[in-house]
Amino acid sequence: MISADMEGASGVTWTADVQVGSEQWQRFRPMFTSDVNACIAGLYAGGATDVLVNEAHSSQRNVLLEDLDTRARMLTGKHKPLSMMQGIDTGVDGVVFLGYHTGAGVEGVLSHTYLPNQITGVWLDGVHASEGRLNSALAAEHGVPVLLVTGDNLTCEDANDYVPDARTVAVKECVSRYAAICTPPTVTAAAIEEESRAAMALAGRFDGSINGHRIEVEFDAAHLAAATAVIPTVEQLDVRRVGFDAASMTDAMKAFKIVTAIASGAVEGSYG
């Protein structure tokens, strides 16, 4: 399975590159699709017999289906119970985090966690968590290894901490949140394909385990914490911080999805 996000794709450096409907987004969709296709080719070269691509960015309708490697299948569209990780519970033998990025509150190209800018930090069991760290915990619960992570160099450093055995490909070098040193997509595609092929050596399910988890979320405004604290089990810990406990990582991610949805709906115009 490939969980395909867009902020960490080849060449992407600023908002318009990934903002659905913009001219820049249209420009970068083929580059994003190129990264995905390179990963598919590498997984098949390494012995995969079936590849499911789960679109994980924004509208989750970004990869060009008409240009997708014909050996793969693609899950596209929103309103999926497990969102970025939909399909992880279907018996897959490995997952790739493609086009990922660093989390809210840290350096990295287009760094954020779920919401573009309203969240300033997320902690999983006391550890600062990117989307990759959250999703890797969900994969582990289902006994699925993370094979490969692609994104900027800081995303790869982050991945080395939460999935040290996984392979990584840095498709760009972070200069700031909106600038990076990039290489052409043909070059990054070759690197992604080679590392995907090699990463297949890590494929193979293991015994997952269900454990309780705690997630804490810090927002950039007090009213967002107050809005999300109305959710049963969500506690307001400070003026801008909430937290909740869940019996499993699956439940934790579903609850986190609710928290971010309510926070997003509470944002008011230019003042946030």
Side-chain angles (χ1 to χ4, degrees):
M1 171 178 155
I2 301 171
S3 173
D5 205 358
M6 196 172 184
E7 286 89 356
S10 295
V12 167
T13 58
W14 74 309
T15 307
D17 297 348
V18 296
Q19 195 166 45
V20 175
S22 75
E23 183 178 346
Q24 280 293 104
W25 172 71
Q26 292 288 10
R27 176 193 171 203
F28 278 92
R29 292 179 76 192
M31 294 192 209
F32 183 30
T33 305
S34 172
D35 284 3
V36 170
N37 280 339
C39 185
I40 294 168
L43 294 176
Y44 272 102
T49 57
D50 183 25
V51 175
L52 173 67
V53 179
N54 177 21
E55 281 224 49
H57 173 69
S58 187
S59 66
Q60 298 172 13
R61 296 177 174 90
N62 307 280
V63 174
L64 298 171
L65 179 62
E66 59 270 33
D67 293 334
L68 188 72
D69 188 312
T70 57
R71 295 171 292 181
R73 299 173 297 133
M74 186 166 73
L75 173 56
T76 184
K78 296 184 72 173
H79 308 302
K80 299 174 288 194
L82 296 180
S83 190
M84 300 178 78
M85 294 294 282
Q86 189 68 33
I88 201 67
D89 56 350
T90 60
V92 297
D93 295 305
V95 61
V96 173
F97 294 166
L98 184 136
Y100 271 44
H101 49 82
T102 54
V106 302
E107 293 183 357
V109 177
L110 294 177
S111 58
H112 71 283
T113 307
Y114 271 64
L115 300 185
N117 54 24
Q118 286 79 32
I119 291 176
T120 57
V122 175
W123 291 263
L124 174 63
D125 300 325
V127 179
H128 196 276
S130 59
E131 292 171 10
R133 184 180 293 273
L134 294 171
N135 291 342
S136 70
L138 183 57
E141 181 167 283
H142 291 279
V144 180
V146 178
L147 308 180
L148 170 70
V149 180
T150 79
D152 70 9
N153 59 309
L154 300 181
T155 300
C156 293
E157 290 179 14
D158 181 41
N160 288 335
D161 185 58
Y162 66 79
V163 281
D165 293 333
R167 303 186 77 91
T168 59
V169 175
V171 300
K172 53 201 168 192
E173 181 182 344
C174 176
V175 173
S176 74
R177 195 170 187 227
Y178 301 113
I181 299 171
C182 301
T183 50
T186 51
V187 176
T188 58
I192 291 170
E193 181 173 350
E194 174 56 28
E195 290 301 317
S196 297
R197 182 197 61 76
M200 277 299 296
L202 302 172
R205 296 176 57 78
F206 56 89
D207 292 331
S209 61
I210 296 176
N211 300 294
H213 293 277
R214 180 170 180 81
I215 290 181
E216 294 187 6
V217 184
E218 185 178 83
F219 298 99
D220 66 358
H223 73 286
L224 301 182
T228 58
V230 304
I231 305 169
T233 75
V234 175
E235 176 188 6
Q236 187 159 358
L237 305 173
D238 203 344
V239 66
R240 294 185 294 107
R241 191 171 178 131
V242 299
F244 61 88
D245 297 299
S248 68
M249 195 60 201
T250 299
D251 287 347
M253 289 304 292
K254 289 179 178 179
F256 180 60
K257 184 178 178 182
I258 295 169
V259 167
T260 58
I262 289 181
S264 179
V267 174
E268 297 287 350
S270 300
Y271 284 83

